[in-house]
Amino acid sequence: MLDLFSGEAPWQEPLAEGAVIIRRRAFDQGEALLDEIARVAQINPFAHRITPGGYRMSVAMTNCGDVGWSSDIRGYQYSEKDSHSHQPWPAMPGLFRQLAQEAAAEAGFPGFNPDACLINRYAPEAKLTLHQDKDERDLQQPIVSVSLGLPAVFQFGGFERGDSTQKVLLEHGDVVVWGGPSRLRYHGILPLKAGVHPLAGAFRYNLTFRRAF
Ligand code: MD3
Ligand code: FE
């Protein structure tokens, strides 16, 4: 029998070709992951970057790993140093790397070795408008995302901005692996609803592991 829901965490929910949600995969590590986020943010604080269009992003960001993603008025890019602090990014915690590699392998992408981890922090009303992630050199490599804290409504579209979208709730501990054709789908996060999470307080955090260079 095809067992889509065994009744015990974690469980996989296929979303589209190449994309799978592994529900609650990081649930038991939630507290340790949040501790590591706080450590990274002590070295490189969360900041609201400015888009090339001149807008302040509602999502606050930092990065860890050999490479980080950031945006300023000149454009957005991956780089080995933060264009704001001129410092290298904090190292990627071993716990982060192991989780990303294991989840990728479970979803059918063995050998994934991320060099970048973008950390997004959402306060109430923060959102991420529909976009594609295509600044990475090898688009055959998947992206692994880990949601922590308050839940958010994720929008998953097609290959053009105007395509219809499906809405999926992403909750604390959910891990999603985006590979294959899904890698280039438009996606975004609807404005965060206020709440209190027992471990993360008033915030949602999202880790995205990438092979950028
Ligand atoms: C689908 N982050 O950082 S995670 C991003 O929750 C980003 O903060 C959102 O989109 C967040 O770029 C969504 C889910 C996600 C991440 C990367 C993807 C979905 C994706 C790349 C390709 C397709
Ligand atoms: Fe994205």
Side-chain angles (χ1 to χ4, degrees):
M1 192 188 91
L2 175 61
D3 187 14
L4 289 174
F5 178 57
S6 68
E8 260 196 272
W11 64 97
Q12 291 201 4
E13 289 177 19
L15 199 57
E17 200 186 333
V20 61
I21 310 183
I22 315 177
R23 291 285 184 195
R24 313 297 185 264
R25 177 63 178 74
F27 191 94
D28 292 346
Q29 292 135 285
E31 200 162 1
L33 292 166
L34 288 163
D35 284 348
E36 294 288 12
I37 292 171
R39 255 193 283 280
V40 168
Q42 270 179 355
I43 304 170
N44 190 284
F46 282 102
H48 297 269
R49 313 268 172 188
I50 307 297
T51 66
Y55 292 101
R56 174 187 187 267
M57 294 187 75
S58 61
V59 176
M61 297 176 169
T62 184
N63 289 269
C64 61
D66 293 337
V67 185
W69 186 90
S70 64
S71 159
D72 62 26
I73 193 81
R74 299 183 310 259
Y76 40 77
Q77 70 205 328
Y78 284 103
S79 55
E80 283 151 355
K81 285 184 178 171
D82 178 1
S83 66
H84 180 75
S85 68
H86 307 287
Q87 298 296 310
W89 302 99
M92 190 184 297
L95 178 68
F96 282 23
R97 179 179 302 282
Q98 190 182 349
L99 172 62
Q101 290 180 330
E102 286 177 4
E106 289 161 22
F109 298 94
F112 178 56
N113 188 23
D115 55 5
C117 174
L118 172 62
I119 309 176
N120 291 332
R121 187 185 70 189
Y122 295 75
E125 300 307 324
K127 63 180 163 57
L128 203 57
T129 53
L130 280 181
H131 67 278
Q132 289 174 298
D133 289 28
K134 52 179 184 189
D135 296 333
E136 300 76 24
R137 263 171 215 166
D138 179 4
L139 296 173
Q140 302 299 112
Q141 298 287 324
I143 290 181
V144 175
S145 81
V146 179
S147 292
L148 296 167
L150 291 176
V153 180
F154 173 75
Q155 281 184 298
F156 193 43
F159 300 102
E160 296 187 70
R161 188 179 300 279
D163 291 351
S164 67
T165 61
Q166 33 174 330
K167 292 185 174 64
V168 182
L169 192 70
L170 292 180
E171 296 177 271
H172 181 72
D174 289 348
V175 174
V176 195
V177 181
W178 316 89
S182 290
R183 183 66 179 70
L184 282 172
R185 283 182 187 260
Y186 275 88
H187 59 278
I189 295 284
L190 295 185
L192 193 82
K193 197 171 165 292
V196 179
H197 185 275
L199 298 177
F203 297 107
R204 169 178 188 260
Y205 296 90
N206 182 263
L207 310 174
T208 44
F209 294 93
R210 300 132 187 279
R211 185 77 208 180
F213 285 175

